[in-house]
Each structure stands twice: as C-alpha cells, then as structure tokens.
C-alpha cells in the first residue's frame, strides 16, 4: 500500500517554535519531523511514499525534492519517494487533490508525528488488510484522549469523538479505501491504538517539548539495552522536558 504524507501546512499554532522553519521542517531530536515520518515509512511495510506539498510551504517542497533526487538510484529513500504539488487550498482540499493521483487503498499520514514508528505503521496496515472488504472501506485510527492528556500533549476538542464509549482523538494516520461512496460497500471502521508514537502530534510548542522528552527516554532505554524497546510502551507520564 502506498502512503500520502501531508506536508503543506504552515504550522501557525507552533508559534515561536515554528518561526525559523515551516512546520514539517521543525526539528525534533535534531531531525525535521517530515524526515522522521518518511524514515518510519521506509522501514515499514508501506510501499511508495508520496509527499503532498503546497505553495504554503515552499521550503518543505524544496527539501523533499532534494531528498527524493539525492537518494534516487542509490537504494535510498528517494527510490520510494514522490512529490505531489497540491494547490494549497487547505488540508481537506489538498488531500482530495492527492487522492485523485494515487491508487486506493492508500495510507494517509500527517508530517507532524515525530515519534511515528514502523511498528505502528505496520500495525495499522495489518489491521486494514485483515478486514473483510479492506480494499473498499476506509480505516480511521485514533488514540485515547486520556493517553494524550497523560503525556501532556494538546487535545483539540473539535476533533475528538467516542469509540465504544471511550473519548478518542484522531492520530493523523488513516487508510482511505476505494469505496465509491455509493453505500453498497463495507462501512468505514475505527481502530483505537493505545500507543505513544501515534499520540504526539506536534501542533504546539508543548507538544514538541514532550516529543523531545520521549525521544530522550527512548535513547536512554537503547543505551541500557532495555528489552521493551523504544516508544511503543504505553501510558508513560515521564514527559518532563
């Protein structure tokens, strides 16, 4: 399954954190967030990544074109990275524009998930593929609101909903199926994952600080050969910057 990485936002909510760089290029742990997302995709079972850029983020567009061109032909990330120039009319409009240019089902992911892991991506791909009529229906992926609040990251009340009576928030990682909207195909499904890599959307300065703290914790675990692995552990509140 291919992936659409949405990279066209200006990131106005990041305030001073985002003044020196467009949102996808804001560094977390010394690396632009969009690079972290693309690296996770490259290490996962996903196929080709399509980075969706816009006139709102020209530096991001140039960065991604350079990344794709520089690695192409050398077995690097560029071999599986394409750049889609969307009009820049907003997230929903640009997503619709990009969806017309790829085959479905397709994985969609925002560029502000600095903790995204290949394991989390593969978990979503597996869940999408395991469902009956998976090629036709879409899969919306959520995390519990209490996990985000426990980590200390922002929660947008306008986007929260409930699944099986539990308050959840969208992750920005979803699968868009090939259903033509006639209503004859399988109904859309929801997947709730209680996992940190999907809980931190870097929308505000505090979110970036939490992500940095979790990355430091991950590096500490790696240094001590912790068998539990990196940030796949859930419900931790060790988020002190």
């Amino acid at each position: 399954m291919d992936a659409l990485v949405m990279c066209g936002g200006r990131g106005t909510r990041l305030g001073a954190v985002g003044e020196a760089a467009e949102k996808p290029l804001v560094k977390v742990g010394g690396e632009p967030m969009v690079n972290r997302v693309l690296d996770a995709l490259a290490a996962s079972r996903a196929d080709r990544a399509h980075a969706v850029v816009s006139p709102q983020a020209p530096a991001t567009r140039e960065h991604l074109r350079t990344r794709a061109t520089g690695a192409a032909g050398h077995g690097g990330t560029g071999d599986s990275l394409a750049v889609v120039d969307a009009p820049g009319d907003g997230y929903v409009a640009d997503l619709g524009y990009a969806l017309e240019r790829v085959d479905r089902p397709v994985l969609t992911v925002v560029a502000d998930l600095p903790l995204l892991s290949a394991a989390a991506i593969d978990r979503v791909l597996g869940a999408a593929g395991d469902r009956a009529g998976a090629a036709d229906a879409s899969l919306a992926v959520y995390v519990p609101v209490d996990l985000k609040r426990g980590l200390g990251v922002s929660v947008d009340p306008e986007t929260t909903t409930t699944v099986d009576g539990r308050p959840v928030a969208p992750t920005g990682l979803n699968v868009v199926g090939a259903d033509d909207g006639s209503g004859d195909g399988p109904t859309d499904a929801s997947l709730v994952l209680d996992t940190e890599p999907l809980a931190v959307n870097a929308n505000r300065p505090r979110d970036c600080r939490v992500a940095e703290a979790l990355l430091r914790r991950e590096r500490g675990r790696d240094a001590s050969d912790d068998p539990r692995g990196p940030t796949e552990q859930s419900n931790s509140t060790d988020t002190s910057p």
Side-chain angles (χ1 to χ4, degrees):
M1 188 184 300
D2 282 2
L4 288 175
V5 185
M6 303 303 294
C7 309
R10 287 178 291 183
T12 54
R13 288 178 293 178
L14 277 174
V17 173
E19 285 182 356
E22 295 163 2
K23 185 176 184 180
L25 299 182
V26 169
K27 292 184 178 181
V28 173
E31 187 76 12
M33 289 194 289
V34 68
N35 283 9
R36 291 187 169 277
V37 170
L38 291 171
D39 288 345
L41 285 167
S44 76
R45 290 171 23 211
D47 296 319
R48 193 176 200 196
H50 304 259
V52 184
V53 299
S54 81
Q56 307 293 343
T60 299
R61 179 183 183 276
E62 182 61 26
H63 172 82
L64 292 168
R65 285 199 175 278
T66 300
R67 177 183 170 111
T69 303
H74 300 282
T77 308
D79 292 335
S80 58
L81 177 63
V83 177
V84 178
D85 286 291
D89 294 331
Y91 181 90
V92 174
D94 284 0
L95 176 58
Y97 178 91
L99 286 171
E100 293 176 354
R101 286 154 178 80
V102 295
D103 293 331
R104 303 188 200 181
V106 64
L107 186 74
T108 64
V109 56
V110 292
D112 61 2
L113 284 170
L115 303 183
L116 185 64
S117 67
I121 295 169
D122 287 344
R123 200 168 167 190
V124 171
L125 291 175
D130 290 342
R131 293 175 300 116
D136 297 317
S138 297
L139 179 66
V141 184
Y142 300 96
V143 292
V145 167
D146 57 9
L147 173 60
K148 292 177 74 74
R149 287 179 174 156
L151 292 171
V153 295
S154 60
V155 177
D156 186 351
E158 294 182 359
T159 64
T160 59
T161 185
T162 58
V163 175
D164 295 330
R166 189 179 190 186
V168 295
T171 63
L173 182 68
N174 302 288
V175 174
V176 178
D179 189 2
D180 62 4
S182 65
D184 296 327
T187 57
D188 291 354
S190 299
L191 175 67
V192 179
L193 295 179
D194 198 342
T195 182
E196 288 175 4
L198 297 179
V200 183
N201 295 91
N203 289 317
R204 293 177 171 83
R206 169 66 180 174
D207 303 334
C208 292
R209 294 195 295 270
V210 171
E212 292 273 5
L214 292 173
L215 285 171
R216 288 197 297 272
R217 187 194 69 185
E218 175 184 336
R219 294 187 187 113
R221 284 179 175 170
D222 289 345
S224 61
D225 293 324
D226 192 318
R228 293 175 295 176
T231 55
E232 278 299 315
Q233 306 302 318
S234 299
N235 295 325
S236 170
T237 57
D238 181 17
T239 60
S240 301

